[in-house]
Amino acid sequence: MAIKISTHNSKLGVIPSVNLPPIITCREGCPCVKDCYATKGRFRFKNVQDCLMQNYLEYVAHPVTYFDEIEREIRGGVMSYNFFRWHSSGDIVDRRYFDGMIRVAKDLTNTKFLAFTKQFEIVNSYIKEGNEIPENL
C-alpha cells in the first residue's frame, strides 16, 4: 500500500488516521500556521515528514485510488476499524478530497469518522449546494 495509515496515537489510542503535511494542505492565511503543532515534536522527524508527503503525493497522483486504499484498509486491513480520524496533521486539500471523504463515509456506515478542519469554505460550499454530510462523519 502506498498510503501510510497511522494505526494509533498517544492521545486517541488505537484509532487509525491518515495524515498529510501541514501548511501546504492548509488554507492560505490559516491563523494557526505560526503555532502549528504538526510542525513540532515527532512531526519533525524525517521519516514522519516523508510519510506525510508520500500520502499527499499519492492523493495528487491518484485521487480515486487514494480513497479506495483508505477504504480497503478501514474495511479489513490488519483489523477492521469502527473509528477513523482524518488528519491529525494536514487538512482537506480541495473539494475533490472532501468528496472522497464523503464517499468513504457513505460506503462505511459502521465506521465513525472524525475530522477537524480549517477548510470551512469547502465544507460550507458543499452544504450550501444542498448536500448533506453523512451522520458518521
Side-chain angles (χ1 to χ4, degrees), residues 12-129:
L12 298 176
V14 184
I15 295 179
S17 64
V18 66
N19 299 299
L20 298 170
I23 314 303
I24 67 168
T25 59
C26 299
R27 72 178 174 88
E28 191 173 328
C30 193
C32 54
V33 166
K34 68 178 184 155
D35 293 322
C36 179
Y37 72 89
T39 61
K40 300 173 182 156
R42 70 175 182 83
F43 289 106
R44 297 180 69 196
F45 296 140
K46 182 176 178 353
N47 65 324
V48 173
Q49 290 179 4
D50 289 348
C51 286
L52 300 177
M53 185 57 72
Q54 177 182 334
N55 285 350
Y56 174 71
L57 294 175
E58 186 65 25
Y59 166 69
V60 170
H62 310 285
V64 174
T65 57
Y66 175 86
F67 290 99
D68 291 343
E69 285 190 40
I70 291 170
E71 184 171 330
R72 192 169 30 257
E73 184 67 21
I74 295 169
R75 188 182 300 271
V78 175
M79 57 189 284
S80 187
Y81 295 104
N82 294 323
F83 301 98
F84 186 85
R85 180 175 179 180
W86 296 101
H87 318 126
S88 58
S89 170
D91 207 339
I92 299 168
V93 178
D94 52 28
R95 173 60 184 266
R96 180 175 62 182
Y97 193 98
F98 186 62
D99 289 341
M101 292 170 61
I102 295 290
R103 176 178 62 92
V104 171
K106 286 181 177 179
D107 288 349
L108 301 174
T109 57
N110 291 327
T111 301
K112 303 276 189 218
F113 293 90
L114 174 66
F116 296 100
T117 186
K118 297 281 193 286
Q119 294 280 31
F120 50 83
E121 298 93 348
I122 294 171
V123 177
N124 289 346
S125 172
Y126 180 85
I127 294 168
K128 189 174 183 178
E129 292 168 7

